[in-house]
Amino acid sequence: MNDTSRIKHTSLAARVMPAGQAASLIHDGMVVGASGFTRSGDSKAVLAAFAQKAENDHTRITLMTGASLGQGTDGALATAGAIAMRLPFQSDPVMRTIINEGKLAYIDENLSETAAHIRNGFLPPIDIAIVEAASVEADGSIVPTTSVGNSAIFVQQARQVIVEINQAVPVEIQGIHDVFLPEDPTGRAILPITDVWQRIGQDVITCDPQKIAAIVFTNQKDSPAETTSGNAAAEAIAGHLLQFFNREIAVGRLTPALRPIQAGIGKIADAVLGGLAQGDFQHLTMYSEVLQDSTFQLMDSGKMDFASGSSMTLSTECYQRVFADFENYRHKIVLRPQDITNAAEVIQRLGIIAINTALECDIYGNVNSSHIAGSQIVNGIGGSADFAQNSYLSIFVTESVTKGGKISRIVPMVTHVDHSEHDVDVIVTEQGLADLRGLSPRQKAETILEHCVHPDYHEELSGYFERACRRGGHTPHLLEEAFRLHTSLAETGSMKTPLLASI
């Protein structure tokens, strides 16, 4: 049964329709902005119906979102050939394959930039916004669900809006959102956020009711996040990082409250946050993109006072626990648009400790977070650069090896640079932690080699560095050898072949 009491603008009840009928409003060549940030608060019905429609009529659109979608939606759309252009982030393995085959254009950009690019006309105008909601207010305003992402700019800019009212989300979620749309760049006022809990906007997305062309009811929870239990490497990384924080406290650079924390999505970053519950920390706060299981674990342990993000991406168990006792959490969290959560101005002012995941790092501290072998996109840069470039501490975490040890995450030279050494303060693997602050390139290499490299690759990487230093240079490299580990992987399926033996 559809709960029409969730539509408080009574005349809009006449625009309730099935998902397939709403999807018929989307025509070939349109630009669609859809809610969703890291599998939460995304379209559960209309985009899926559009994928089915596109299989038959070969309709293709440009699709913008906040970040990745759940429910396998990106994969279904890609398989149907429904997407001509996708941005700014995705994480679906099917869509990833089609992107890497060159059959789908993909713009991978910093998550802070999409709203500004739309507002400034760098991207094409939005025809239709599809936004998941808990309810629609009497003035047409939309109450978001578990994410805000880019939904506000999509609704503001779109000619038409399709609202998906998700009855699986309690109406009591209203009040946790802080929706603020910045002004145009010229003469823009400051973003007056000086504490993570400070609100500067509204708890709804303003929308002209005349723009709402369709309302579709759904009753489906977000796709669950993966859990981190039993990941020994992640637990070791967390241990090294906690020791580092304790040393920073001991010398007076941090307090037991640390500074506001940002953590990228993923098992390792989530495990690191979970490890904070084991330390002597108190009154922690978070200013991040995604609130994960560990955020609520820290609240439950009494370690974290407040968390600001753009979405909640939770495991099934945590999702059920949070919404079963939502009154206990609602005054401890706020969800904002991603151009606010990722705003350089605010990140710098709050002095964020940023913890993000690396795909590979090189011996000088450059980080690749998006491409395998320099060419194959995995997910994208996301918001990691927004935080790495502007935070008080920029930390990257990764396992030292993967694929059963066949691949070293520490290499002579990264095949794709998302974060240059200038934006990386600390690198942590399960082997140890390299504090790169105040070091020259050669000193950084020595520190990374000593602390972060897996023993199976230490001799090869050390040998490379020694020979490069003999040749000379401020950042010594042997260009003819810099990617030989990657070449070995492509040829043999492993980097372990002793290619870098001493000359």
Side-chain angles (χ1 to χ4, degrees), residues 70-327:
Q71 321 299 328
T73 300
D74 267 328
L77 289 165
T79 300
I83 306 298
M85 174 78 78
R86 179 75 170 89
L87 68 150
F89 189 86
Q90 62 77 44
S91 63
D92 186 274
V94 176
M95 178 170 278
R96 176 190 308 151
T97 297
I98 293 174
I99 290 170
N100 285 322
E101 289 173 349
K103 298 177 182 177
L104 193 164
Y106 177 50
I107 299 175
D108 169 33
E109 65 180 12
N110 297 324
L111 296 187
S112 66
E113 295 182 317
T114 307
H117 288 173
I118 294 169
R119 186 179 295 110
N120 298 333
F122 300 167
L123 294 171
I126 297 172
D127 295 297
I128 291 180
I130 306 171
V131 179
E132 184 178 83
S135 60
V136 178
E137 295 295 278
D139 63 354
S141 296
I142 297 167
V143 178
T145 58
T146 50
S147 72
V148 179
N150 280 321
S151 297
I153 191 69
F154 293 157
V155 170
Q156 181 195 62
Q157 298 287 322
R159 293 187 298 104
Q160 291 183 303
V161 177
I162 299 172
V163 179
E164 289 192 18
I165 296 181
N166 190 349
Q167 297 176 111
V169 179
V171 293
E172 289 76 17
I173 199 169
Q174 184 171 0
I176 70 166
H177 309 95
D178 183 42
V179 180
F180 181 85
L181 288 167
E183 302 162 349
D184 291 333
T186 304
R188 175 184 293 178
I190 64 169
L191 297 175
I193 298 175
T194 57
D195 289 300
V196 297
W197 50 80
Q198 190 168 358
R199 294 171 180 268
I200 60 174
Q202 305 178 80
D203 64 0
V204 295
I205 298 172
T206 300
C207 181
D208 179 351
Q210 297 303 314
K211 291 173 67 170
I212 299 177
I215 296 177
V216 175
F217 277 90
T218 66
N219 195 334
Q220 188 172 352
K221 294 177 181 178
D222 294 331
S223 294
E226 298 179 354
T227 58
T228 60
S229 59
N231 189 322
E235 292 172 1
I237 290 169
H240 296 311
L241 198 48
L242 297 185
Q243 291 177 11
F244 169 76
F245 288 149
N246 284 325
R247 290 195 297 271
E248 292 294 291
I249 292 170
V251 299
R253 284 190 287 261
L254 292 175
T255 71
L258 302 180
R259 286 173 177 263
I261 299 166
Q262 176 264 337
I265 192 72
K267 295 180 180 180
I268 295 178
D270 198 36
V272 169
L273 281 183
L276 292 174
Q278 311 304 318
D280 295 326
F281 307 104
Q282 56 188 340
H283 301 301
L284 298 172
T285 58
M286 174 174 285
Y287 191 84
S288 192
E289 299 166 300
V290 183
L291 309 186
Q292 305 178 68
D293 284 20
S294 53
T295 305
F296 295 93
Q297 291 166 4
L298 287 168
M299 289 180 180
D300 293 341
S301 70
K303 299 286 188 180
M304 180 166 285
D305 293 346
F306 198 91
S308 169
S310 194
S311 74
M312 295 188 294
T313 301
L314 309 174
S315 67
T316 299
E317 184 278 328
C318 188
Y319 186 101
Q320 293 172 345
R321 176 166 51 84
V322 168
F323 281 102
D325 190 20
F326 196 64
E327 282 303 312

Side-chain angles (χ1 to χ4, degrees), residues 469-481:
C469 286
R470 290 201 296 268
R471 182 175 294 180
H474 178 244
T475 306
H477 270 302
L478 304 173
L479 294 183
E480 69 276 15
E481 290 189 21

